[in-house]
Amino acid sequence: IMVQPERLELSMGMPTWPQMLAAEGYHTSSIGKMHFYPWDDAYGFAHRVICEDKRWLRIEDDYFNFLKHHGHRKYHGNEHSGYQENRGAVISLLPWELYWDRFVGREAVKFLASYDQKNPFAAMVSFPGPHCPYDPTNEFVNLFDEADMPLSIPEVEGHHPKLRHINIESNKQPWNGVDYTEFNESHKRKIRAHYAAMVAQIDHEVGEILKVLEEKNMLDNTLIVFTSDHGDSLGDHNLIGKGTFFESSCHIPLVVRPPRQNFDNKQPRQPANRRTDLVSLTDVTATLLASAGVGVPTYMDSLPLPGLGLPTSKRELLIGMLGGAWMAYDGEKKLAKYGTGETLMFDLVDDPEEQCNLLKEGASPNAWSELDMAITTQIMRSIEFGHLDKQVYVSDLSGDAEFGARGWARPYPNPLGDKLRRIEDIG
């Protein structure tokens, strides 16, 4: 008989980072969009205010109740005027004070303004935007002129027609309902202006968060990480949204403001600088843990970000994984393999706009094979890791007395932490 444990991740020896920080005395909070399954689970956060994805209209979260209280609801993009004609670029039916990102920003400010505990806090604030539908409010959309928007990067003709087809068909589905078969530069400029407006909306709310931190004298001892989970093609390569390993989709912003205590208080704060190290979004986890003095588990594919005075090591390669897509990138050349059978390789030093598919232009066999082997190795390791919870013979049972006795019960799920460390050591 298998009994479902109350906290599956804990029984498997893989606590979440809020659980790990909570064990060290941190008060943890998550505010906004999280994509948890179930959506209302805490996953170790002591405090939650939930405002889920702009496309999950039936989730009765805190934002749902907030809108209901004010006589509104979550609106689908197709309820807005000009939705199909403008390829999803519309003006929100919600006023700014009731808008998704405004709600999340205000709840974050409320949490910080009322925080009076002696123990430190760790808050994850996740804005639903910028995300389709491209629906800023009037106050922000008027800040940007479509004519000022940069032109889209052209499609690599004949090299990814199946990706383009999937992109079109996916966006026809009810969650979006927009047909991008015809997608001209006018459509793209309008979408880009609306996207810029949604970024400005979030910038406004980030400013409000920084302001309350400063007012409470917490700004200089708070580590701030600003990033995203993905980009948006916005017409580049004749695509919309995410789901590929073109730069527009997978290369995301990452800004870190360390606390002043990281520096000698007698010296001024170090000036801002831009680094070109290879880093992964997963490295944010190790950065949070290491900054709090918490050890980073060896099974995590996560390193503290460089330049913050934290012990770390250098990444020589990035591996990216999506449903139906894999990528290897060494800082110069990028290889992307798709479930459609299409394979693309670009030299981002000489071809930053990804226009010349090296696999069709006589790429060096060595460069291709090294990146391809990196992807293949990671696939094999991921498959092995993905089944560790149910493997019986991960360690040697031949001399195990309990296994030798009658009535031995197969443990499930297996605690993964030690097994992952063991495989890493062997590898």
Side-chain angles (χ1 to χ4, degrees):
I1 299 175
M2 185 178 73
V3 179
Q4 184 72 17
E6 182 178 355
R7 289 270 25 127
L8 190 62
E9 67 273 11
L10 291 177
S11 70
M12 296 168 76
M14 300 182 72
T16 64
W17 67 260
Q19 289 166 341
M20 297 173 72
L21 291 185
E24 298 296 323
Y26 278 77
H27 180 64
T28 58
S29 171
S30 69
I31 300 169
K33 166 185 169 180
M34 297 292 152
H35 271 333
F36 289 169
Y37 299 94
W39 63 267
D40 56 349
D41 202 322
Y43 280 96
F45 286 103
H47 169 260
R48 284 202 72 191
V49 178
I50 308 172
C51 177
E52 263 306 334
D53 192 287
K54 291 166 69 176
R55 293 299 189 176
W56 296 69
L57 305 182
R58 295 185 179 275
I59 289 181
E60 297 183 12
D61 53 17
D62 298 300
Y63 181 58
F64 174 95
N65 294 324
F66 169 80
L67 288 178
K68 185 177 181 179
H69 175 75
H70 288 278
H72 281 272
R73 58 181 173 83
K74 300 177 183 180
Y75 300 108
H76 192 286
N78 59 23
E79 298 180 75
H80 296 73
S81 176
Y83 181 65
Q84 181 60 242
E85 299 92 312
N86 296 315
R87 302 301 185 267
V90 294
I91 304 297
S92 178
L93 290 172
L94 294 167
W96 168 239
E97 287 304 315
L98 303 183
Y99 192 79
W100 305 75
D101 297 325
R102 177 63 170 157
F103 172 81
V104 171
R106 187 168 47 237
E107 288 297 322
V109 167
K110 188 186 304 181
F111 168 78
L112 294 170
S114 62
Y115 193 78
D116 58 2
Q117 301 184 39
K118 293 182 179 179
N119 56 319
F121 73 89
M124 180 176 176
V125 181
S126 181
F127 294 97
H131 196 288
C132 68
Y134 306 104
D135 63 343
T137 63
N138 266 314
E139 296 92 326
F140 289 88
V141 76
N142 293 328
L143 298 177
F144 300 92
D145 190 332
E146 297 170 28
D148 295 333
M149 295 298 107
L151 293 173
S152 64
I153 295 172
E155 184 176 350
V156 189
E157 287 291 343
H159 289 249
H160 54 92
K162 294 178 182 177
L163 286 180
R164 162 84 169 132
H165 174 74
I166 289 174
N167 189 247
I168 293 172
E169 293 305 311
S170 172
N171 280 281
K172 288 180 182 178
Q173 300 305 308
W175 67 272
N176 191 6
V178 176
D179 186 352
Y180 288 95
T181 303
E182 181 191 351
F183 196 19
N184 59 44
E185 203 60 40
S186 177
H187 295 140
K188 295 172 185 178
R189 282 182 180 269
K190 188 172 189 66
I191 288 172
R192 286 167 178 243
H194 281 231
Y195 192 87
M198 290 193 293
V199 171
Q201 290 176 162
I202 293 173
D203 284 348
H204 179 276
E205 294 308 302
V206 171
E208 295 295 295
I209 291 171
L210 295 177
K211 186 189 301 182
V212 72
L213 284 171
E214 189 167 29
E215 290 171 352
K216 296 209 59 171
N217 295 316
M218 296 192 297
L219 183 60
D220 278 340
N221 62 358
T222 300
L223 169 70
I224 299 171
V225 180
F226 180 86
T227 188
S228 178
D229 56 344
H230 61 80
D232 194 309
S233 296
L234 300 176
D236 283 348
H237 305 288
N238 218 15
L239 301 170
I240 193 70
K242 58 182 180 180
T244 72
F245 284 112
F246 286 113
E247 289 288 277
S248 305
S249 175
C250 73
H251 195 162
I252 58 175
L254 175 57
V255 181
V256 181
R257 186 185 191 275
R260 185 174 291 278
Q261 65 203 36
N262 276 33
F263 309 114
D264 184 341
N265 286 328
K266 297 179 182 179
Q267 300 295 325
R269 180 180 291 278
Q270 292 182 2
N273 65 90
R274 176 176 292 185
R275 301 186 66 98
T276 58
D277 309 75
L278 285 180
V279 298
S280 167
L281 185 59
T282 61
D283 293 337
V284 172
T285 302
T287 303
L288 298 178
L289 294 175
S291 297
V294 179
V296 181
T298 57
Y299 57 78
M300 282 189 176
D301 178 19
S302 186
L303 299 171
L305 292 166
L308 300 177
L310 301 170
T312 189
S313 55
K314 185 178 179 180
R315 287 189 181 274
E316 301 293 341
L317 190 72
L318 290 180
I319 300 290
M321 296 159 281
L322 295 170
W326 291 77
M327 177 208 74
Y329 174 52
D330 64 8
E332 294 183 0
K333 292 183 174 59
K334 179 202 294 181
L335 175 66
K337 305 179 74 172
Y338 295 95
T340 60
E342 293 161 321
T343 304
L344 305 170
M345 183 174 173
F346 301 103
D347 185 331
L348 294 187
V349 176
D350 296 332
D351 179 25
E353 292 192 344
E354 301 171 291
Q355 291 294 286
C356 178
N357 183 6
L358 295 178
L359 297 181
K360 303 293 184 182
E361 304 293 338
S364 164
N366 288 338
W368 179 87
S369 62
E370 288 177 7
L371 294 176
D372 185 63
M373 180 56 69
I375 291 176
T376 302
T377 301
Q378 186 61 46
I379 291 173
M380 295 173 72
R381 292 168 68 84
S382 296
I383 291 172
E384 185 175 11
F385 289 174
H387 291 282
L388 283 179
D389 61 316
K390 48 190 172 290
Q391 283 187 7
V392 174
Y393 209 85
V394 176
S395 60
D396 184 8
L397 295 175
S398 64
D400 190 308
E402 290 186 13
F403 178 71
R406 292 184 183 277
W408 177 82
R410 172 183 175 177
Y412 183 82
N414 277 313
L416 298 186
D418 290 338
K419 293 180 174 61
L420 286 168
R421 281 189 285 272
R422 175 177 169 77
I423 288 178
E424 288 290 346
D425 291 342
I426 293 172

